Amino acid sequence: MFLPIGDAGRAELVERRIAEAIMGGHLRAGDRLPSEADLAHTMGVAPVTVREALLGLRSRGLVVTRRGRNGGSFVSAEADPLVFAREALVASSRFAIRDLGVHYAALTMAGTRLAARRAALSEVAAIRIRLAKLDTAVGQKPGASELSAWRQTMDDLQLELVALSQSARLTRDQMRLQAEFSPLLRLIDVDAGTRSRHRELFGSVLDAVEAGDEDAAGAATERLVGDAIDALDALRLQADDF
Amino acid sequence: MHSDFRRTISDERQLVYDAEHGAVDRMWPTTIGDAISATTVPASGATTSALDSASSIVSAYFARLLSVLEDHAEQLSREIIFQGREGLTATRIDDLVEPHANELLDYASEPIYGAGFIATVDLLADAPSHLAWWQGADRRKLVFPPRSVKQGIDYRELEWFRIPSLTGNSHVAGPYVDYLCSDEYTMTAAAPVLVDGNFVGVAGLDVLIETIERRLTPPLRALGFPVLLVNGVNRVLVSTDPRLSPGDVLRHQPVLDRRRCDAVDLEIVVLH
């Protein structure tokens, strides 16, 4: 246990971080990655570690490298967050999905309960305004980029609400868990009924936070996360039918 | 704003701060402390004088931070004018801002967690929006992956950007969990940067609530009255009242008295 950790394993960490950004849709097909030097600098590792990570990403088909004047590393044209999410869902056991849901619900409930005690009305109102804008932003037949923007806004509003707990630790954990959970949510976002239900449920979380009602805020959050998990679990069950 | 005028204000603030800190270190424990120990039930006169003292301690603390920040904002504005606003790129802005950020992070009197400049949406030729920001013990430059949650945030809506852009005055925002930059519980001081009278962005610095708590608790404790330092939405920054802690919001608690601070939009509150 007292052996030096060194740079071994760091390349895998860098690779995982970038792979997660691609699979989660934060880096999209065709996006240019920062230069090796910039990546090394911002991620606090040696350039050789970044090079090794990029090698791994290339061999997995997530990244392509082009030479020449406009060269560099780019997210592969085939990278589709929905395909990655479906693969991740099928590769997970139902137990793991339910357990992720339990974890996410527990954390988010703690955050929104505390927000109900500590949020200012103006702060809740600001979230509500952005939620209202989201209503009109999604049409009847949204394309991939509209759906992606919808998910990003929902994630952002949820994070903002948890941040109103005034707890830095809860907010950091929410960000980490959201990065894991959010790619899967894209699979159920395609259903218009699910989207409108989730918008409504999130609205009732806001109502409870605004009223300063901790118990109602916790209960509404549990309904929102529970609904998402049920939908994901149903998708997972269907996947076994093929 | 004329620079000579600003200089005068800054110097005054510095003097106020120095005077107060002498007072904090030497005077409070003796004069105020004796005054309070003389009576067990706080007389209203004693409350008033404790509120006044608390308010000047807090005002002096933030006035000094703001004057340092405003000096940098003004220098930066001169450098942008010298450089020329046309064709300004993100890289060029980074080069202009980095020495200022470093100097702010070097600020000896108080640990500053992060510092930099946030451009208005249409300032740069090659980027719709830009944060030139350095933070943490290793002074890492902040870089967001494209389309991450953080990248998508419209900072024009955020208090530390919105208020200086609307009022043309410096502002201290928070406390809030700053999930955009530090991921910590933070106060952000922001000063508008003006070029030919036009707002082009804010120069800012982050101070962690922990830092402020460490600095302000001893002098506030020495007043002998439990007091709360709250922001514009009644959220507690620092408390010497065991009933409330940083992050809590005053709602139904019975307020005995409150006093505005001069340099900054904060209030001192004493509860019944």
Side-chain angles (χ1 to χ4, degrees):
Chain A
M1 86 182 263
F2 296 119
L3 293 174
I5 293 167
D7 251 23
R10 299 193 102 193
E12 278 138 71
L13 281 177
V14 172
E15 180 180 331
R16 195 192 311 161
R17 187 85 66 83
I18 298 173
E20 276 172 6
I22 296 173
M23 291 175 173
H26 300 308
L27 288 166
R28 279 197 239 160
D31 279 352
R32 177 200 288 272
L33 296 183
S35 72
E36 283 182 11
D38 283 351
L39 279 172
H41 184 65
T42 57
M43 297 176 99
V45 296
V48 65
T49 307
V50 170
R51 209 163 304 139
E52 199 182 322
L54 287 175
L55 207 64
L57 290 165
R58 270 200 293 277
S59 72
R60 290 163 70 182
L62 291 172
V63 159
V64 292
T65 300
R66 287 201 282 275
R67 308 255 162 236
R69 224 178 121 238
N70 292 315
S73 292
F74 298 83
V75 177
S76 155
E78 285 85 47
D80 179 350
L82 278 178
V83 172
F84 294 127
R86 179 158 287 279
E87 283 170 9
L89 183 75
V90 173
S92 306
S93 62
R94 285 186 63 205
F95 167 76
I97 291 162
R98 287 275 169 197
D99 210 28
L100 174 61
V102 165
H103 191 187
Y104 188 80
L107 186 69
T108 313
M109 282 167 70
T112 47
R113 284 185 67 103
L114 203 46
R117 281 222 304 261
R118 292 173 142 184
L121 292 181
S122 58
E123 293 165 330
V124 184
I127 296 180
R128 209 184 276 286
I129 287 167
R130 290 180 60 201
L131 186 67
K133 279 187 197 153
L134 193 60
D135 284 7
T136 50
V138 171
Q140 285 301 304
K141 282 206 177 298
S145 67
E146 282 93 353
L147 281 175
S148 191
W150 194 85
R151 172 46 45 202
Q152 193 169 314
T153 305
M154 282 299 277
D155 287 351
D156 192 13
L157 295 180
Q158 180 66 72
L159 180 61
E160 176 68 41
L161 186 59
V162 168
L164 293 183
S165 69
Q166 314 298 311
S167 166
R169 278 174 178 259
L170 280 182
T171 308
R172 286 195 291 262
D173 279 354
Q174 180 79 19
M175 274 191 278
R176 270 196 287 274
L177 212 50
Q178 199 172 65
E180 192 179 343
F181 195 40
S182 165
L184 295 175
L185 292 178
R186 287 164 186 263
L187 292 172
I188 57 171
D189 285 345
V190 293
D191 181 64
T194 304
R195 285 200 308 277
S196 91
R197 214 166 51 247
H198 286 184
R199 197 180 52 214
E200 209 168 294
L201 285 168
F202 188 74
S204 57
V205 178
L206 288 182
D207 291 342
V209 170
E210 193 169 36
D213 188 338
E214 275 182 74
D215 292 339
T221 305
E222 194 165 29
R223 278 201 300 280
L224 172 60
V225 180
D227 190 278
I229 288 295
D230 285 347
L232 275 177
D233 190 31
L235 266 186
R236 177 65 189 81
L237 260 178
Q238 282 169 27
D240 281 342
D241 297 341
F242 299 105
Chain B
M1 257 169 284
H2 195 267
S3 63
D4 291 338
F5 171 70
R6 168 106 54 166
R7 176 63 62 195
T8 314
I9 298 281
S10 302
D11 289 345
E12 268 172 20
R13 282 176 176 166
Q14 182 84 42
L15 288 173
V16 168
Y17 183 89
D18 290 339
E20 288 305 337
H21 272 246
V24 168
D25 294 332
R26 295 187 296 274
M27 275 165 55
W28 297 139
T30 53
T31 54
I32 303 285
D34 290 346
I36 291 158
S37 63
T39 166
T40 47
V41 181
S44 68
T47 314
T48 304
S49 104
L51 273 172
D52 288 340
S53 307
S55 155
S56 31
I57 290 166
V58 170
S59 297
Y61 176 82
F62 285 102
R64 171 130 123 172
L65 276 181
L66 282 172
S67 90
V68 171
L69 180 64
E70 284 168 0
D71 284 347
H72 281 282
E74 204 178 302
Q75 285 171 41
L76 189 60
S77 128
R78 280 198 294 271
E79 286 160 12
I80 293 173
I81 292 168
F82 182 74
Q83 156 82 30
R85 223 191 120 158
E86 299 303 311
L88 207 54
T89 62
T91 319
R92 187 71 197 114
I93 270 290
D94 285 350
D95 290 345
L96 289 180
V97 175
E98 192 169 8
H100 292 290
N102 274 322
E103 240 181 87
L104 285 168
L105 293 169
D106 279 337
Y107 183 53
S109 309
E110 198 67 345
I112 304 238
Y113 188 83
F117 170 78
I118 296 90
T120 41
V121 163
D122 55 355
L123 177 68
L124 302 179
D126 63 341
S129 64
H130 186 64
L131 283 87
W133 195 262
W134 286 261
Q135 66 179 22
D138 52 358
R139 301 189 176 188
R140 192 155 293 173
K141 185 175 192 299
L142 199 61
V143 179
F144 303 135
R147 303 196 190 90
S148 69
V149 169
K150 294 184 174 193
Q151 184 76 11
I153 291 167
D154 186 352
Y155 53 71
R156 284 174 299 177
E157 298 293 323
L158 302 178
E159 185 188 347
W160 49 260
F161 192 87
R162 188 168 39 93
I163 293 185
S165 78
L166 290 177
T167 64
N169 295 321
S170 301
H171 180 70
V172 178
Y176 67 110
V177 179
D178 176 19
Y179 60 83
L180 182 66
C181 296
S182 64
D183 296 347
E184 296 286 354
Y185 203 46
T186 308
M187 295 294 288
T188 300
V193 176
L194 303 173
V195 168
D196 303 327
N198 297 314
F199 174 81
V200 299
V202 301
L205 61 84
D206 282 349
V207 183
L208 302 187
I209 279 293
E210 279 184 283
T211 302
I212 297 172
E213 177 188 301
R214 280 179 217 281
R215 173 68 81 159
L216 291 182
T217 301
L220 293 178
R221 281 284 284 183
L223 298 175
F225 281 94
V227 295
L228 307 164
L229 173 60
V230 303
N231 71 1
V233 296
N234 276 331
R235 179 165 292 134
V236 176
L237 284 77
V238 178
S239 162
T240 58
D241 188 325
R243 288 170 289 182
L244 287 166
S245 50
D248 284 339
V249 171
L250 264 187
R251 280 189 181 163
H252 312 299
Q253 295 83 352
V255 171
L256 178 65
D257 204 354
R258 53 201 308 160
R259 182 84 74 256
R260 298 204 62 78
C261 299
D262 289 335
V264 63
D265 191 17
L266 300 172
E267 277 184 288
I268 306 289
V269 172
V270 176
L271 297 180
H272 269 292

